């Protein structure tokens, strides 16, 4: 996160995104990230976990895409058997 993913982390962990999720305190998350970036603590695992949650939240909850894109519509079993 200190090098290749730094820009991505900054984008994903914006104050708006964190506050919109309603699950995290932006100041605390920012403290975790800042301590990691300066090498004070190794918070890579917690950053990775929160980042994945925020990506998931944005993709499926904030954009209302869960039902539209990820619940497969299947034919009833009876109609499949009759074909």
């Amino acid at each position: 996160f200190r090098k290749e993913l730094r820009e991505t982390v900054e984008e994903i962990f914006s104050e708006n995104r964190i506050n919109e999720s309603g699950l995290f305190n932006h100041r605390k998350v920012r403290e975790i990230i800042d301590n990691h970036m300066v090498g004070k603590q190794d918070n890579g695992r917690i950053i990775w976990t929160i980042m994945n949650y925020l990506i998931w939240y944005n993709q499926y909850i904030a954009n209302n895409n869960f039902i539209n894109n990820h619940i497969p519509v299947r034919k009833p079993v009876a109609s499949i058997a009759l074909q």
Side-chain angles (χ1 to χ4, degrees):
F1 297 112
R2 293 182 184 121
K3 296 177 183 176
E4 296 87 10
L5 293 176
R6 187 177 190 133
E7 189 174 308
T8 302
V9 166
E10 295 301 329
E11 178 185 331
I12 291 171
F13 285 90
S14 71
E15 185 171 358
N16 287 341
R17 273 189 159 180
I18 292 173
N19 290 337
E20 184 180 279
S21 76
L23 190 60
F24 303 105
N25 177 306
H26 179 261
R27 284 188 305 207
K28 184 62 181 169
V29 171
R30 193 70 244 175
E31 181 183 320
I32 290 168
I33 293 168
D34 292 343
N35 286 340
H36 181 80
M37 293 302 185
V38 298
K40 189 175 179 182
Q41 293 176 317
D42 181 6
N43 293 326
R45 190 171 289 211
I46 188 81
I47 293 169
W48 181 256
T49 302
I50 296 171
M51 185 172 75
N52 278 282
Y53 170 79
L54 291 172
I55 292 169
W56 172 85
Y57 180 87
N58 189 57
Q59 179 68 32
Y60 298 107
I61 305 301
N63 291 329
N64 239 355
N65 285 331
F66 183 73
I67 292 175
N68 296 336
N69 294 326
H70 298 286
I71 296 180
V73 177
R74 298 182 181 172
K75 293 181 180 181
V77 175
S79 66
I80 292 172
L82 297 175
Q83 292 179 351

